[in-house]
């Protein structure tokens, strides 16, 4: 069977492309040809950078983690990734380390002390994970209460923040194709028990290409995400697509930082001249209700070209309210990009044109009963 390959942009030129069937090839290419370019910057808050990582550094960390993993596991084994929101850069390195080792990563919500781990235990059993990756500081917090759960207690643990980087020299690139299983992605559980979805490299590459096409090609753009990196929207649209697939430097924040201070999201967009950043509907409402007129004086949102919104019902009132509240900061309604996706489809399923205004419909109860949607 002929290998399914996808073109992606390299060397800052829309006319300079490279064919690949998997995301491992792309990161290796970036590390070789743009080694010193920063891929990700993590913000402690809107003003404080707590860490950065270049393509070369990410590649080296992923290689070292991969070699360590293959000391313990074999190709196809499942590993749980459990990282706090403040260690997103470590999470990314571990995720690519699994891809580099052909170990199937299973991402999960980082547990909090005192909370039940029953859902996590069920997912670990479902995924047949035998190893968990985390950081040394987080492991110290997890172990005391994970021992109460038989299946979690049976997991082997590997801390990735202290792995010897020289192991990277021993890495041998695996033979990865578009049909190779990349990772397991679990549904949110909003409509039932979370279910695992098998995402192969072809799925991931195709979805990145689709997103890039929907967004009008994001080469030379700057992205920002505070979404949870372990879930589909944060992982694919916030981590893999911009920095790796499209070579767009990406700013990352903790979702906790946003919830504590919604202003920090818009301050970061203003400071870094961000072009692409998205969130669920509620986040835009939160900004409207929590950010004062005085705080808006120092915001410049004119660089924001794609403000994607999804992950829950999108309310036309929320888009209108945000636009009215922040148009004085340079925000344009055309920047809104309503879209819909599911973990079962890797991520995106539908979206409109980048430059078009959101299309608004109202639902008439009578028409809805007749399977009709009436345009506003």
């Amino acid at each position: 069977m002929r290998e399914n390959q996808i073109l992606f942009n390299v060397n800052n030129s829309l006319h300079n492309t490279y064919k690949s069937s998997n995301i491992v090839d792309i990161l290796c290419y970036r590390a070789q040809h743009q080694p010193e370019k920063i891929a990700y910057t993590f913000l402690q808050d809107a003003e404080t950078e707590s860490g950065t990582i270049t393509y070369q550094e990410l590649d080296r960390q992923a290689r070292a983690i991969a070699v360590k993993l293959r000391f313990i596991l074999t190709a196809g084994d499942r590993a749980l990734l459990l990282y706090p929101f403040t260690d997103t850069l470590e999470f990314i390195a571990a995720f690519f380390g699994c891809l580099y080792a052909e170990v199937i990563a299973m991402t999960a919500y980082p547990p909090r002390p005192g909370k039940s781990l029953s859902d996590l235990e069920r997912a670990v059993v479902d995924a047949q994970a035998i190893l968990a990756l985390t950081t040394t500081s987080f492991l110290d917090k997890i172990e005391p209460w994970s021992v109460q759960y038989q299946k979690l207690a049976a997991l082997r643990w590997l801390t990735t923040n202290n792995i010897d980087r020289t192991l990277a020299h021993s890495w041998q690139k695996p033979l990865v194709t578009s049909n190779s299983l990349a990772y397991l992605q679990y549904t949110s559980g909003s409509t039932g028990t979370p279910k695992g979805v098998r995402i192969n490299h072809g799925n991931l590459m195709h979805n990145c290409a689709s997103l890039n096409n929907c967004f009008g090609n994001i080469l030379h753009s700057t992205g920002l995400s505070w979404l949870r990196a372990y879930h589909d929207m944060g992982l694919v649209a916030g981590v893999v697509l911009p920095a790796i697939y499209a070579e767009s430097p990406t700013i990352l924040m903790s979702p906790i930082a946003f919830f504590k201070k919604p202003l920090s999201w818009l301050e970061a967009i203003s400071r870094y001249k961000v072009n692409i950043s998205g969130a669920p509907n509620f986040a835009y409402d939160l900004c409207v209700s929590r950010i004062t007129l005085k705080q808006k004086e120092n915001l410049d949102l004119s660089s924001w070209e794609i403000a994607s919104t999804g992950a829950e019902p999108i309310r036309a009132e929320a888009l209108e309210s945000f636009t009215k509240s922040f148009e004085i900061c340079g925000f344009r309604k055309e920047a809104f990009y309503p879209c819909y996706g599911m973990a079962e489809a890797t991520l995106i399923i539908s979206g409109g044109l980048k430059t078009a205004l959101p299309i608004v419909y109202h639902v008439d109860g009578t028409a809805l009963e007749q399977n009709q949607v009436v345009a506003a």
Side-chain angles (χ1 to χ4, degrees):
M1 179 180 287
R2 187 176 180 182
E3 181 62 28
N4 180 26
Q5 296 185 322
I6 292 177
L7 291 173
F8 69 96
N9 296 312
V10 297
N11 293 347
N12 297 315
S13 172
L14 292 175
H15 305 290
N16 194 355
T17 55
Y18 175 77
K19 285 185 178 181
S20 178
S21 62
N22 63 85
I23 210 71
V24 171
D25 281 351
I26 299 181
L27 178 52
C28 289
Y29 188 96
R30 303 280 184 225
Q32 180 181 356
H33 295 274
Q34 298 127 303
E36 302 304 319
K37 184 172 182 178
I38 294 175
Y40 301 102
T41 298
F42 188 81
L43 299 183
Q44 182 176 319
D45 51 48
E47 299 179 353
T48 309
E49 296 182 3
S50 60
T52 61
I53 190 167
T54 65
Y55 288 115
Q56 186 179 65
E57 290 168 342
L58 178 57
D59 176 69
R60 185 182 297 120
Q61 286 189 36
R63 292 181 185 219
I65 293 170
V67 171
K68 188 72 173 180
L69 282 171
R70 291 305 292 267
F71 286 159
I72 307 169
L73 306 176
T74 58
D77 284 342
R78 303 345 178 27
L80 169 67
L81 271 59
L82 217 53
Y83 289 81
F85 295 132
T86 52
D87 284 326
T88 300
L89 296 183
E90 285 290 342
F91 168 87
I92 294 172
F95 177 75
F96 280 99
C98 288
L99 295 181
Y100 275 36
E102 293 184 281
V103 167
I104 311 307
M106 167 204 168
T107 62
Y109 191 98
R112 291 176 292 169
K115 297 294 183 180
S116 173
L117 300 182
S118 299
D119 288 344
L120 178 61
E121 186 175 48
R122 279 193 291 270
V124 165
V125 172
D126 182 68
Q128 300 178 335
I130 57 179
L131 177 75
L133 282 66
T134 190
T135 61
T136 50
S137 59
F138 202 55
L139 179 58
D140 291 339
K141 297 178 182 178
I142 294 171
E143 277 191 312
W145 88 93
S146 65
V147 295
Q148 304 170 34
Y149 300 83
Q150 182 180 0
K151 298 301 181 181
L152 296 181
L155 285 171
R156 297 182 64 179
W157 292 88
L158 175 65
T159 55
T160 55
N161 60 298
N162 54 1
I163 290 177
D164 184 359
R165 297 290 192 270
T166 62
L167 288 175
H169 300 303
S170 303
W171 180 67
Q172 294 183 348
K173 191 175 182 180
L175 180 61
V176 179
T177 71
S178 62
N179 292 321
S180 298
L181 183 59
Y183 61 98
L184 298 178
Q185 184 165 262
Y186 276 75
T187 59
S188 64
S190 58
T191 59
T193 302
K195 298 175 179 62
V197 181
R198 294 165 58 93
I199 307 295
N200 64 33
H201 282 272
N203 299 145
L204 185 57
M205 289 289 289
H206 183 272
N207 217 257
C208 282
S210 296
L211 277 165
N212 192 44
N213 183 57
C214 288
F215 290 167
N217 197 317
I218 63 174
L219 185 66
H220 304 307
S221 300
T222 298
L224 184 152
S225 176
W226 54 261
L227 302 173
R228 300 166 293 182
Y230 71 87
H231 197 45
D232 55 359
M233 192 172 175
L235 180 59
V236 180
V239 173
V240 178
L241 166 69
I244 307 302
Y245 182 88
E247 195 204 329
S248 297
T250 302
I251 314 299
L252 299 170
M253 295 173 57
S254 164
I256 297 173
F258 167 75
F259 289 124
K260 285 183 177 179
K261 185 183 176 184
L263 176 64
S264 62
W265 178 31
L266 304 191
E267 284 180 330
I269 290 174
S270 178
R271 179 186 177 192
Y272 289 91
K273 305 302 179 187
V274 168
N275 311 114
I276 304 167
S277 189
N281 188 95
F282 79 85
Y284 296 99
D285 279 337
L286 205 57
C287 288
V288 171
S289 63
R290 296 269 296 274
I291 297 175
T292 68
L293 184 61
K294 180 68 175 177
Q295 291 170 329
K296 295 174 186 177
E297 291 178 358
N298 297 319
L299 292 179
D300 178 6
L301 305 180
S302 59
S303 65
W304 202 354
E305 299 175 359
I306 300 174
S308 61
T309 175
E312 59 183 11
I314 302 168
R315 298 188 304 106
E317 314 91 79
L319 308 189
E320 194 65 37
S321 178
F322 186 90
T323 300
K324 288 182 178 179
S325 294
F326 293 96
E327 59 187 358
I328 62 173
C329 306
F331 183 82
R332 293 163 291 106
K333 188 175 182 179
E334 291 86 352
F336 267 126
Y337 189 87
C339 50
Y340 176 71
M342 295 172 65
E344 295 89 333
T346 306
L347 181 58
I348 194 165
I349 292 176
S350 65
L353 297 174
K354 173 186 173 182
T355 56
L357 283 168
I359 300 172
V360 177
Y361 295 90
H362 75 262
V363 179
D364 178 275
T366 303
L368 189 63
E369 291 175 357
Q370 301 173 1
N371 299 319
Q372 297 176 347
V373 175
V374 180

